[in-house]
Every structure is written in C-alpha cells, then in structure tokens.
Amino acid sequence: MEVVPLATVDDVARLAADTIEALVRRGAGSAGSRDATGSTRAPAVLGLATGSSPLPTYRELVARHRAGTGPSYAGVRTFNLDEYVGLPPGHPQSYLATIRREFTDGLGLPPEQVHGPDPTPEDLPTAGERYEAEIVAAGGIDLQILGIGSDGHLAFNEPGSSLASLTRIKTLAEETRRDNARFFGSPGDVPRHVLTQGLGTILRARHLLLVATGEGKADAVAAAVEGPLTASCPASVLQLHPHATILLDEPAASRLARRDHYRDVYDAKPAWQGL
Ligand code: GLP
C-alpha cells in the first residue's frame, strides 16, 4: 500500500485527479503493458464510488475537462461500486443518477457508457452475476476509486463481509443508514438493501485509489491500514492488493502510527514513479 498523507481536501482532490487523468491518457491495461497490437490502447475503464469523499475529485476533473486541459474521455466506460435497492426508478439519490449528475455528465460521457448494478426488483436474483459479467466483458476495471465508511466499509461491504465476495445483495448496517440519512429525509428513508461489488470484485481492479478526508474517517483509516486483515474492517482488504494508493488529508491521517514514515516515503519518491 502507498499511504499518502497530504494537507487538505483540495490536495487530495488534485492528486486523485492527476492520477485518474494519467490513466485516461494512457488507456486500459496495467501500467507497463501494451495491448495485443502493441499500438493504441483501448479507452480506460474506471470504477466509481459515490458518497461525499470523491466529490471534490470529480469536480476537479470536470472543471479541467471544461477548461480544455483534461484528457479525452471518448470511449471511457465507468462502473459504479454499488446501488440502493427499492428506490423508485429515476430517484435522484440512486447511485447511477448521482454519478451521472455529479460526474460523468460533466465529462460528456453518454449514459450507455456509465454502468451500475441493476436494482430492478424482478431481476435481483441475477443482478450480481450479470454485473460481474459486464465488468469482465469490459476488460476489467483499470482504476477503482474508493471511499471508506466510518465503520470501515468499502462500497456497501459492511463489517462481516466475506473478503472474497462478489457483487451481491446486502443489508445495510444501522451506522451506514444513519451516515447516509443526510441524503434522504431521515435514517428511516434510507433503503435497507443494496447491491454492491464484493471485496473480491474490488480486489480484481488493477489499481485501487482510496480517498478519505476528515476526522470522522481517522479511526477507520487507521484500522484499514495498520490493523489486522479482518472482515470486521472490510477496508483492511486493501492490504491484499498489489497496487493500492490511499490519499488522506491531515485529519483523516491523524491516527496513523506511521504517518511520518508514510510522508517521508512520499517525499522521497522518485519523480518518474507516479502513483
Ligand atoms: C457510502 C458508499 C461508499 C462510500 C462510503 C463513505 O455508503 N456506499 O462507497 O465510500 O459510504 O461515504 P462518504 O464518502 O460520504 O463518507
């Protein structure tokens, strides 16, 4: 894991945006690889998280795109991490509607390139399997943006989730419903069920980029990065990934025992290395 303690939310957003733009410029596939013809790569496949943590990054990317300084997003496809079950179609808080409004519409991505798990009630039993197949058919996710829940959840994989899980239906923890009540009227209005990529799905992405800001995330970040690998802290699964980058502002990094070491390592990073 590469843990990068930065000063502010804006620093996190800028570095995350730089990393995503570099990938989009490079195209699909892992950093050193070429595609089958050895020439032009396919457009990148991005995994997107909702929640407030990645919003400053999305805004930064859209602002650069509008200013004409960003890369071309032509052909880029995106896959959401998760989706609520039981919201009426077109509900503004559905994660697909949210990601289009907050991000992909601003990049000019057509809706057919923006994917999420399908919460149609009658198709739920096969929704997980179909979503996994869609991701595989797209060539897998090149870079997965992640936030972290205050209880250590990743996507909607609540504590206790199998570390090998794939996309499936889950029941939300009360803490998450309370946290997410700000997007709805009250905790009671937050759906109980969700579809979510599993921790095993997330581990298949080629690069994981977790952004966490604010003191409310400090305990979850410390448990994920420096605690044991355990289903009790689903985000600790990042420790198993060969290329996981964790961008933190100062308050989110405040409970890391090795914070100074991570900063030293980042400061001493060779310029050619990138994230
Ligand atoms: C939500 C989402 C996660 C998100 C997390 C943190 O419930 N399903 O993908 O990372 O909780 O949200 P926030 O960034 O708003 O704190």
Side-chain angles (χ1 to χ4, degrees):
M1 286 180 294
E2 179 166 24
V3 183
V4 185
L6 298 162
T8 67
V9 172
D10 287 347
D11 293 332
V12 169
R14 276 192 293 267
L15 189 54
D18 291 347
T19 309
I20 293 161
E21 286 191 341
L23 168 77
V24 170
R25 286 200 173 90
R26 200 165 66 226
S30 50
S33 74
R34 287 163 176 239
D35 77 354
T37 63
S39 58
T40 326
R41 288 165 176 260
V45 179
L46 292 177
L48 302 180
T50 41
S52 12
S53 309
L55 279 182
T57 302
Y58 295 157
R59 290 189 186 130
E60 176 73 19
L61 287 164
V62 169
R64 294 180 190 185
H65 178 70
R66 292 198 170 130
T69 59
S72 162
Y73 288 88
V76 166
R77 282 166 294 174
T78 68
F79 286 86
N80 276 3
L81 276 175
D82 42 15
E83 184 56 281
Y84 290 114
V85 167
L87 294 177
H91 192 286
Q93 292 307 328
S94 95
Y95 278 172
L96 197 59
T98 303
I99 213 74
R100 287 186 52 188
R101 184 176 64 239
E102 304 285 356
F103 189 36
T104 59
D105 285 355
L107 298 178
L109 288 189
E112 58 276 16
Q113 286 167 219
V114 180
H115 305 267
D118 172 15
T120 311
E122 51 278 18
D123 298 330
L124 280 175
T126 60
E129 225 173 285
R130 283 185 288 119
Y131 199 53
E132 292 290 328
E134 270 187 77
I135 294 173
V136 170
I141 290 169
D142 292 302
L143 182 145
Q144 176 65 58
I145 301 161
L146 296 165
I148 184 170
S150 58
D151 62 358
H153 74 238
L154 272 195
F156 273 136
N157 295 281
E158 298 284 20
S161 293
S162 154
L163 300 179
S165 49
L166 300 178
T167 306
R168 69 225 183 282
I169 194 159
K170 290 289 282 181
T171 306
L172 290 183
E174 277 315 303
E175 183 174 344
T176 304
R177 294 180 82 212
R178 267 198 308 277
D179 282 351
N180 288 5
R182 65 191 191 280
F183 299 112
F184 294 83
S186 69
D189 294 328
V190 181
R192 288 197 71 81
H193 293 110
V194 292
L195 281 163
T196 181
Q197 283 189 28
L199 296 169
T201 319
I202 292 169
L203 285 178
R204 289 176 182 169
R206 294 181 186 94
H207 182 190
L208 302 181
L209 183 67
L210 183 134
V211 290
T213 54
E215 231 223 305
K217 298 298 170 67
D219 285 331
V221 166
V225 172
E226 295 180 340
L229 173 66
T230 167
S232 298
C233 177
S236 65
V237 81
L238 262 70
Q239 297 176 24
L240 286 175
H241 197 279
H243 190 185
T245 308
I246 295 145
L247 304 184
L248 305 169
D249 71 352
E250 222 163 271
S254 59
R255 304 217 179 106
L256 288 169
R258 289 187 291 277
R259 185 182 42 173
D260 294 344
H261 169 68
Y262 305 134
R263 193 169 293 132
D264 285 352
V265 169
Y266 183 66
D267 289 345
K269 199 174 162 76
W272 52 264
Q273 206 173 25
L275 284 182

